[in-house]
Amino acid sequence: MTVWFEDFTVGAVARYGCYAVTREAVLAFATAYDPQPFHLSDEAAAANPIFGRLAASGWHTAAMTMRMTVERWAAMGGASLGSPGIDELRFLKPVYPGDTLTVEAEVLAARPLASRPDRGVVKTSTRTLNQHGEAVLSFTGNTFWPRRP
């Protein structure tokens, strides 16, 4: 089975994923990619007025969101052709070890590409939610998909 551009309906909302955030993963990601003290040290995080305790990097939250999204596409039997980018990326609330994340994505627009009639672009509004249903990350993304032959 393949996921086609035509499978996306404007207004459709998908809820998916279940990602448990661990202390080990927060520290490993921060060490490799975002070594700010409040991502690496309980003491520094406690002293930070925004976090109060060890918190995941926003970039780590974005990466966890991408992981859940790609796993959803794979479960649907497909993969995108890539992306021209995202807009309006926002880190809305801290993510902490022990949180469990899910994703909610709404199709905002879908249009065939005039320059490449074999594909289309789908625009989605994506929110990552914690276990309390609070949005922790949001962005608008654009993804290329093959068109049905």
Side-chain angles (χ1 to χ4, degrees):
M1 179 177 169
T2 300
V3 180
W4 303 101
F5 165 77
E6 291 81 5
D7 296 330
F8 293 91
T9 303
V10 174
V13 177
R15 292 173 183 85
Y16 54 88
C18 182
Y19 200 103
V21 181
T22 67
R23 177 181 176 80
E24 296 76 20
V26 167
L27 292 171
F29 187 96
T31 298
Y33 303 109
D34 192 357
Q36 297 185 76
F38 44 82
H39 297 318
L40 294 170
S41 158
D42 290 314
E43 295 76 22
N48 183 293
I50 295 172
F51 302 111
R53 59 187 168 117
L54 189 71
S57 165
W59 296 110
H60 187 192
T61 303
M64 291 182 279
T65 300
M66 189 65 195
R67 176 64 185 244
M68 288 185 280
T69 299
V70 170
E71 286 175 353
R72 165 130 172 111
W73 295 339
M76 294 168 57
S80 78
L81 298 175
S83 172
I86 61 171
D87 302 312
E88 303 171 16
L89 175 65
R90 300 286 183 263
F91 305 133
L92 302 171
K93 289 184 74 86
V95 171
Y96 300 108
D99 283 352
T100 300
L101 305 178
T102 59
V103 177
E104 180 179 270
E106 178 182 0
V107 178
L108 300 177
R111 65 175 175 81
L113 292 176
S115 62
R116 300 292 303 260
D118 63 329
R119 65 194 68 173
V121 64
V122 176
K123 179 181 281 250
T124 56
S125 172
T126 300
R127 295 183 332 138
T128 305
L129 309 171
N130 65 19
Q131 67 276 10
H132 305 294
E134 301 165 323
V136 297
L137 176 137
S138 69
F139 66 88
T140 302
N142 300 286
T143 313
F144 295 125
W145 291 92
R147 293 194 67 198
R148 198 176 306 289

